[in-house]
Amino acid sequence: MVEIVSEVKRIGEYVIIFTRVFDSGQMVTDADVAIVVEDVEERIFLPRSSTTHGFSVYTINEKNVIENLSGVYTLIFKSLFKKFKVTIFARVRDKTTKKVLLFENGRTREEKDPLDVIRTLKVFLGFNVNIDKIIYVDKRLEKLVNKNTRKAILQDLIKPRKKINSIEDVFVGIIDSMRYGSQEWVIEDPSVIKWLENLYKDNLGKETRIGGQAGIIANLIAILGGYPTVYSPVLSKEQAGLLHKNVFSLCPTRKPVTECADAKESKVNWVFEFNRTDELFNIRSNQNGRFIAGSQMEEYRPEWPDINNIDIDAIILAGLHLLKKKYRDGTTAEKIIKETIEWIDGAAKRDIPTHLELTCMEDEWLREKIVEILYHVDSVGMNKDELRQIAELDEEKIDLPDALSIIKYMKKIAKKFGLKRVHVHTLGYYINLYKDSGWASPEKIKKAMLFASDLAAAAAFSGSIEKMEDLEIADSISLSKTGLKEQEKLEKEIGMENGVARVGDYTIIFLPTKVVGHPKTTVGLGDTISGSMFVVECGYRYM
Ligand code: ADP
């Protein structure tokens, strides 16, 4: 890894910038270094200067050239700017690294870009890490059932049980999700698992990949160059094998995830992916989405590691929707939620920001219990359907036709639970709401939101992000028309300016986002958006 270490000094009317470059900890004495100085107030650029002509540079005069003094790259220039931005580029082995510094009142501080934050912030994620076995939804599925079963399926669709005790229930789940939006049901009858395993092998299986919000976000952070720590109550070799090598776990000390994989059985989800033109038994889906049939395991419940013994800067929690009401040893979901809350309160005492990532929760009883956690975390992330589920705990059938109605309920939720931050993503725009100024500045938040939008667009376009270069495609994807229209409406309705508005005690930040016309996949996009945005904002909190 190439690192730039710099120092800016002002002596009278001169400014001196000392830069050292390190490659895997070793000082590089022959790097190409270029520096751009920008006056923040006047927006005047000093001509870029560099050590060599490798960069496309133009220098004003001899004095404005960077001197390489045995590996200390030094630039001296005359300037009376009080506040300026210095961007330093260093090229080593044909790779260019960048660092931005802000100089103000005689002091410098670093301006990190979102990737710098992702790479340096110590993020802890728990607890759902599972294996997703993706299965195609197509006509071949219809051939697996006879006429009578088909009748039973159509009958059950009238009032779905939302739990899986038979093969019919799997079909009911798929069709119900095609009609009303993505859902996740638990498999209560183990014989269904055998049937699904065979189905997967019989050519209907598309791919196996990491699933679960904690697993998906941990992998994303690692791919982008970070070193997250993930906690999963069940971690088999197969689960760990699907995680990036830079993901760590706790067993009980922090180790690479493969060293912590000790479970024999894996937690598996069967994911039926469909798009808006798919049909099953002549019922047409009107959206892209998925139905998840999830295996249930006694051991798949969190026992959180000692919060005072982990070195972390941010926490992302998810997976509580998978809890069973009661376990064989008498443990209950209520007890686990209580312990989770105590753990979160421990994090709050250490001033570690906590975020709960929601998912659609079919079981109303469990939903009410999980919602208790919202009184304790700092931040929550969700999509429109999840917002509806939480809002409908207090109100009958709510309507969310546009951004303004979403803001109304985000505000209600923030107020009820005392949340510092609420994030909602929709197809076309993201809305973030903040209680007070204790979070990052609106500019920084917008940067985090833009970064998340780029990641989501790139992932939708290519199916997944496997390397940094996969992000480049985002530049060519255009903004959603719906998002832009909603932006205009909010400007009129609540006086929003540059995506920022004040609504009562809250600050709203709105971003129209990039949308891919024909996405390769949408699985995990919400997690990608929420997770990356929260991490970057945490990194920006004190800057
Ligand atoms: P998941 O549960 O898979 O994480 P969600 O339903 O929570 O997914 O979130 C999906 C989000 O992904 C949407 O709210 C939207 O912001 C984004 N998204 C979906 N489809 C696209 C697309 N084609 N292009 C860009 N972003 C998309």
Side-chain angles (χ1 to χ4, degrees):
M1 202 174 76
V2 176
E3 244 184 307
I4 300 173
V5 178
S6 282
E7 202 184 332
V8 182
K9 280 208 161 121
R10 149 154 261 148
I11 301 173
E13 57 186 2
Y14 287 94
V15 174
I16 313 172
I17 303 173
F18 298 108
T19 300
R20 289 180 180 80
V21 178
F22 294 88
D23 186 3
S24 307
Q26 296 288 324
M27 194 153 133
V28 185
T29 52
D30 59 350
D32 271 357
V33 175
I35 298 180
V36 179
V37 180
E38 185 185 343
D39 169 32
V40 179
E41 274 147 11
E42 304 290 327
R43 306 220 38 97
I44 298 168
F45 289 84
L46 273 193
R48 176 188 282 201
S49 33
S50 83
T51 42
T52 70
H53 295 287
F55 285 109
S56 58
V57 290
Y58 39 95
T59 52
I60 10 175
N61 53 43
E62 287 287 293
K63 288 203 184 74
N64 219 27
V65 171
I66 299 171
E67 300 259 11
N68 180 356
L69 308 168
S70 315
V72 181
Y73 307 90
T74 309
L75 174 69
I76 305 178
F77 60 94
K78 220 172 169 178
S79 162
L80 290 172
F81 298 155
K82 285 197 196 78
K83 202 168 152 186
F84 54 86
K85 186 169 157 184
V86 179
T87 310
I88 303 163
F89 300 87
R91 189 159 58 196
V92 176
R93 289 181 283 116
D94 273 344
K95 274 222 151 75
T96 305
T97 312
K98 181 177 100 175
K99 180 167 197 163
V100 182
L101 294 171
L102 289 174
F103 183 89
E104 197 180 349
N105 302 330
R107 285 176 51 205
T108 43
R109 63 192 169 93
E110 262 178 62
E111 187 186 89
K112 293 181 177 163
D113 68 26
L115 271 179
D116 293 328
V117 174
I118 296 262
R119 286 172 183 161
T120 50
L121 208 78
K122 289 175 234 142
V123 184
F124 176 93
L125 305 107
F127 72 90
N128 53 345
V129 176
N130 52 256
I131 295 175
D132 272 356
K133 297 210 181 242
I134 320 282
I135 298 174
Y136 288 111
V137 170
D138 66 28
K139 291 271 173 213
R140 283 178 294 173
L141 280 177
E142 290 180 3
K143 299 208 173 73
L144 301 172
V145 291
N146 60 29
K147 249 197 178 147
N148 284 341
T149 315
R150 180 181 170 147
K151 245 194 191 153
I153 293 167
L154 296 177
Q155 189 66 35
D156 287 351
L157 269 172
I158 300 168
K159 200 169 183 299
R161 278 186 289 273
K162 309 239 166 187
K163 295 222 160 94
I164 302 171
N165 285 297
S166 65
I167 295 162
E168 284 99 281
D169 288 335
V170 176
F171 281 89
V172 175
I174 301 171
I175 300 171
D176 205 57
S177 302
M178 284 164 78
R179 277 172 151 178
Y180 303 111
S182 303
Q183 296 172 44
E184 177 169 350
W185 297 2
V186 289
I187 305 168
E188 291 188 331
D189 181 347
S191 70
V192 178
I193 293 183
K194 275 264 153 299
W195 180 80
L196 286 163
E197 271 168 3
N198 289 331
L199 192 71
Y200 189 81
K201 280 186 220 136
D202 291 346
N203 276 335
L204 279 156
K206 184 177 166 188
E207 62 173 311
T208 298
R209 64 175 177 218
I210 198 73
Q213 292 139 309
I216 290 174
I217 303 170
N219 246 16
L220 175 78
I221 294 174
I223 289 162
L224 297 175
Y227 294 85
T229 306
V230 81
Y231 161 70
S232 172
V234 172
L235 192 62
S236 68
K237 288 241 170 323
E238 196 183 357
Q239 277 163 285
L242 290 169
L243 286 164
H244 190 281
K245 65 172 179 24
N246 290 352
V247 175
F248 283 69
S249 194
L250 298 167
C251 54
T253 54
R254 192 171 180 270
K255 290 191 186 129
V257 76
T258 42
E259 290 179 31
C260 291
D262 57 359
K264 291 216 163 50
E265 243 187 282
S266 306
K267 161 77 181 139
V268 180
N269 277 351
W270 280 268
V271 182
F272 291 86
E273 255 183 47
F274 48 82
N275 63 46
R276 67 175 93 95
T277 52
D278 283 329
E279 263 185 28
L280 215 50
F281 307 131
N282 296 326
I283 301 173
R284 201 182 161 105
S285 158
N286 52 17
Q287 54 201 315
N288 296 332
R290 78 210 78 94
F291 169 65
I292 300 175
S295 68
Q296 225 178 21
M297 288 172 97
E298 276 288 309
E299 317 77 37
Y300 206 60
R301 48 178 155 148
E303 278 176 36
W304 301 103
D306 183 358
I307 188 74
N308 295 313
N309 261 340
I310 24 180
D311 178 22
I312 36 175
D313 302 318
I315 296 174
I316 298 179
L317 299 172
L320 290 133
H321 63 288
L322 299 165
L323 295 183
K324 280 172 69 168
K325 264 187 200 169
K326 201 163 182 180
Y327 293 83
R328 271 186 232 130
D329 63 4
T331 306
T332 59
E334 277 157 309
K335 181 168 177 270
I336 296 168
I337 290 170
K338 192 168 159 270
E339 286 165 3
T340 304
I341 287 175
E342 285 165 7
W343 191 79
I344 293 167
D345 291 346
K349 278 200 194 113
R350 290 186 53 199
D351 203 23
I352 305 167
T354 46
H355 172 88
L356 179 70
E357 188 54 24
L358 288 180
T359 189
C360 269
M361 296 172 277
E362 301 314 329
D363 189 312
E364 229 170 275
W365 178 87
L366 189 58
R367 193 188 311 159
E368 280 187 21
K369 302 282 168 236
I370 291 173
V371 158
E372 290 293 313
I373 297 175
L374 292 181
Y375 287 107
H376 300 263
V377 288
D378 296 307
S379 159
V380 64
M382 57 198 138
N383 66 20
K384 221 162 84 170
D385 298 325
E386 290 144 12
L387 173 69
R388 178 176 289 111
Q389 278 199 338
I390 303 294
E392 285 183 353
L393 288 173
D394 295 326
E395 251 177 75
E396 287 271 305
K397 284 262 161 270
I398 67 153
D399 211 15
L400 297 173
D402 58 8
L404 192 62
S405 58
I406 293 179
I407 291 172
K408 174 180 159 194
Y409 286 100
M410 286 173 78
K411 220 176 90 186
K412 276 196 173 180
I413 288 175
K415 197 164 174 195
K416 174 175 172 184
F417 297 106
L419 288 154
K420 289 186 186 151
R421 174 184 184 271
V422 179
H423 157 73
V424 172
H425 47 259
T426 73
L427 188 63
Y429 55 91
Y430 306 155
I431 309 175
N432 285 14
L433 175 146
Y434 301 86
K435 173 73 177 90
D436 48 39
S437 53
W439 211 260
S441 68
E443 285 66 38
K444 292 276 157 59
I445 292 169
K446 272 195 263 177
K447 229 167 149 177
M449 292 169 85
L450 272 167
F451 178 66
S453 165
D454 277 359
L455 281 181
F461 185 88
S462 332
S464 62
I465 294 170
E466 266 142 37
K467 51 190 181 326
M468 293 300 304
E469 290 73 39
D470 293 346
L471 284 183
E472 285 164 15
I473 190 70
D475 291 339
S476 57
I477 297 165
S478 40
L479 287 178
S480 148
K481 285 207 178 70
T482 315
L484 292 168
K485 226 165 68 197
E486 288 297 325
Q487 174 167 273
E488 255 179 53
K489 272 172 62 192
L490 289 178
E491 283 165 1
K492 288 198 192 101
E493 289 162 343
I494 55 170
M496 186 170 82
E497 270 180 53
N498 295 324
V500 183
R502 192 79 194 152
V503 180
D505 291 344
Y506 301 94
T507 301
I508 302 286
I509 310 207
F510 178 94
L511 183 80
T513 56
K514 296 172 177 173
V515 167
V516 176
H518 299 279
K520 218 169 185 176
T521 182
T522 60
V523 177
L525 279 190
D527 310 332
T528 298
I529 297 163
S530 267
S532 61
M533 197 189 292
F534 175 73
V535 170
V536 174
E537 285 179 34
C538 284
Y540 282 157
R541 253 182 21 139
Y542 305 108
M543 293 181 67

